[in-house]
Amino acid sequence: MTTTTSTILESITVPADHGRAIPDAATRETIGHAPVHDPAHLDTLVRRARSAQPAWAALGHEERSRVLNAIATEIEASAEELAVILSREQGKPLDGPNARFEIGAAAVWTRSAADIPLEPEVVVDDGGQRAEVHHDPLGVVAAIGPWNWPVMIAVWQIAPALRMGNTVVLKPSEYTPLSVLALAEVYNRHLPEGVLSVIVADRGIGSALTKHPDVDKIMFTGSTATGRRIVEASASNLARLTLELGGNDAGIVLPGADVAAIADDLFWGIFINTGQTCAALKRLYVHDSVYDEVVDALAERARTMPMGNGLVPGNVLGPLQNQQQFDIVSRLVEDARAAGGRVVAGGEPAPELGPLFYRATVVADVEDGTSLVDEEQFGPAIPVLRYHEVDDAVRRANASEQGLGASVWSADRDEALAVAKRLAAGTVWINKHGTLDPRVPFGGTKASGYGQEFGVAGLKAVAAPKVIAY
């Protein structure tokens, strides 16, 4: 088992009688104690952010970018320490596309936010007049993150906000505060006081943050239900919104697909982070001609992929992060079984590994209308649905109220492109699923939210456009 002494962990935790115990996701042993903040502390942090913002903005893009690049280097230097904290708290293993990968991505996205150019846009220049669009800071950004990719998603929120001259008050999920506190500790080695603060508290404080009169922008990643409440709350302060909400992503495997060629990418599109990913593949529609082959390929990988404590080398699947999510996955799989679904792999907890482990599960012969198909499972269970006509598969894939991502799997690129254009989702991948690039905009449609992150679009989303005409 990999271990490391963490000076970062020591610096961010508080004495037991002054904080809340945070459990190791795999063992449920206490990692440390997180601070518990109250409404008065929230007001103090927002006031400090408001006070610090003009000087931070006055540094200009070049200096702010220099600072962010220095932070990215600091993240890389602290990578193993951060990865161990993340692995223990969230549950994802160090190995595979998991904890070390997430910390590496945090550095990459920080650098990207620093380095992407954003010049004034000339929209009219006809000899008689000229009009330019500039992008000014908004002010104070409230960033509210989830527990599944707590470090990487925090960076998606704070790095572009800081680059554009805003200050940030960040609220992590109550399930994963230590990972985010550790990230902020590294960031704040290079930032002026008040530019980035973390409020650690329950959802009530999160609600107060979104309604705060001194908040100018809200960035939220989480459930659709919470997103709707944030929209209502923002009416009081007219804060701008970027909402990345739930996803029930569909994949369509077309006839003629080379199953051997796509099987590994298909598996990881579903089971990355043990299925606890907003843009993971959640419903898989497979043409009858390759249906059995796809089911068998996924089941074989599900049965043999190493699962266990994230600090043990070689494990690449971990536990569910919390009891609530474990119960949701268990319920949905049992509902699918009761509805006639054929469990070909998994379908049960793995108590010998720990209390929140659930075996990677493949359920065949299910239909639309089954809870496992219609609800976002956010865990290691995939329903595989049979279809005969591509038009029917597209209709069924688009039937969800959510539209975060989707994917098409085919040996024929032109055919895949034609189907991709018909799918209602913010991103449609071909022969892959959930792969993100800091240069490429990302966001959802329908009930999966609105606004975009990453790239130039992500910088503009945390800025106020201002037209200068002369």
Side-chain angles (χ1 to χ4, degrees):
M1 181 178 295
T2 298
T3 59
T4 183
T5 301
S6 178
T7 57
I8 296 177
L9 183 61
E10 292 170 358
S11 72
I12 62 174
T13 52
V14 299
D17 57 350
H18 286 81
R20 181 170 60 88
I22 303 299
D24 183 300
T27 67
R28 311 314 290 170
E29 298 172 352
T30 296
I31 303 169
H33 292 79
V36 179
H37 296 145
D38 58 22
H41 195 78
L42 172 62
D43 287 336
T44 297
L45 295 184
V46 175
R47 186 167 59 250
R48 287 178 182 170
R50 176 65 69 192
S51 177
Q53 192 273 325
W56 175 247
L59 292 177
H61 282 286
E62 183 175 349
E63 176 60 14
R64 292 195 300 270
S65 293
R66 184 198 66 77
V67 172
L68 285 171
N69 272 304
I71 290 169
T73 299
E74 193 84 42
I75 292 171
E76 291 164 345
S78 304
E80 190 66 11
E81 232 184 314
L82 292 170
V84 170
I85 295 170
L86 173 63
S87 179
R88 296 190 66 195
E89 182 179 53
Q90 199 283 329
K92 64 186 65 182
L94 290 171
D95 291 344
N98 292 300
R100 291 188 177 109
F101 166 83
E102 181 170 350
I103 300 305
V108 168
W109 256 267
T110 300
R111 287 196 196 283
S112 177
D115 293 341
I116 289 176
L118 182 61
E119 302 295 336
E121 300 171 39
V122 178
V123 292
V124 173
D125 188 9
D126 59 8
Q129 66 170 329
R130 180 181 174 92
E132 303 170 348
V133 180
H134 295 248
H135 295 89
D136 292 349
L138 284 165
V140 177
V141 173
I144 303 174
W147 49 260
N148 59 330
W149 294 90
V151 173
M152 186 166 68
I153 291 177
V155 168
W156 293 354
Q157 297 171 332
I158 63 180
L162 295 178
R163 157 68 192 282
M164 295 307 294
N166 305 289
T167 51
V168 179
V169 178
L170 176 63
K171 185 199 173 295
S173 166
E174 56 266 40
Y175 290 120
T176 52
L178 299 181
S179 301
V180 176
L181 285 166
L183 174 72
E185 196 276 334
V186 172
Y187 258 72
N188 279 324
R189 294 173 187 174
H190 297 267
L191 294 172
E193 184 178 357
V195 170
L196 172 63
S197 301
V198 181
I199 182 83
V200 181
D202 60 19
R203 296 181 183 184
I205 295 294
S207 177
L209 176 60
T210 62
K211 298 175 184 176
H212 201 286
D214 279 330
V215 164
D216 303 289
K217 168 82 182 188
I218 301 166
M219 304 185 76
F220 172 73
T221 297
S223 72
T224 298
T226 302
R228 289 192 169 104
R229 291 194 292 271
I230 288 173
V231 172
E232 295 172 356
S234 69
S236 63
N237 55 14
L238 292 179
R240 277 61 174 164
L241 299 175
T242 296
L243 303 175
E244 197 263 89
L245 307 180
N248 194 9
D249 291 13
I252 299 177
V253 180
L254 297 180
D258 184 342
V259 176
I262 65 174
D264 286 338
D265 288 332
L266 198 56
F267 178 87
W268 285 113
I270 297 164
F271 290 100
I272 188 170
N273 197 26
T274 318
Q276 299 166 108
T277 298
C278 295
L281 207 165
K282 310 284 175 52
R283 302 173 286 147
L284 184 61
Y285 296 88
V286 182
H287 189 264
D288 184 68
S289 62
V290 290
Y291 185 85
D292 291 337
E293 189 178 358
V294 168
V295 169
D296 290 345
L298 289 176
E300 190 275 332
R301 285 160 177 78
R303 295 187 197 103
T304 58
M305 202 63 66
M307 172 180 279
N309 189 304
L311 301 184
V312 176
N315 286 332
V316 291
L317 297 175
L320 277 302
Q321 200 283 326
N322 56 79
Q323 185 68 51
Q324 180 182 28
Q325 202 57 44
F326 179 90
D327 292 344
I328 289 171
V329 172
S330 299
R331 172 179 62 82
L332 293 176
V333 172
E334 288 310 308
D335 285 351
R337 198 195 312 266
R342 177 167 56 95
V343 177
V344 292
E348 62 183 4
E352 73 280 8
L353 300 177
L356 296 184
F357 284 87
Y358 197 95
R359 301 189 199 284
T361 298
V362 178
V363 185
D365 302 337
V366 287
E367 301 292 337
D368 297 293
T370 305
S371 298
L372 182 60
V373 179
D374 292 356
E375 298 180 29
E376 182 183 20
Q377 65 274 48
F378 218 68
I382 184 69
V384 187
L385 300 93
R386 191 187 303 264
Y387 76 89
H388 303 284
E389 300 294 334
V390 172
D391 287 348
D392 181 54
V394 171
R395 177 190 62 79
R396 293 159 69 187
N398 286 340
S400 173
E401 71 163 359
Q402 295 172 317
L404 187 57
S407 56
V408 183
W409 304 77
S410 176
D412 186 326
R413 182 182 179 188
D414 290 340
E415 184 181 18
L417 283 168
V419 174
K421 292 175 182 178
R422 299 171 61 192
L423 292 174
T427 300
V428 182
W429 293 275
I430 293 175
N431 291 333
K432 56 186 177 180
H433 195 109
T435 57
L436 300 176
D437 186 310
R439 302 165 297 181
V440 179
F442 176 70
T445 63
K446 300 191 288 186
S448 290
Y450 48 76
Q452 289 185 313
E453 300 173 281
F454 313 164
V456 172
L459 296 180
K460 291 179 178 179
V462 286
K466 178 170 68 181
V467 174
I468 298 178
Y470 53 95

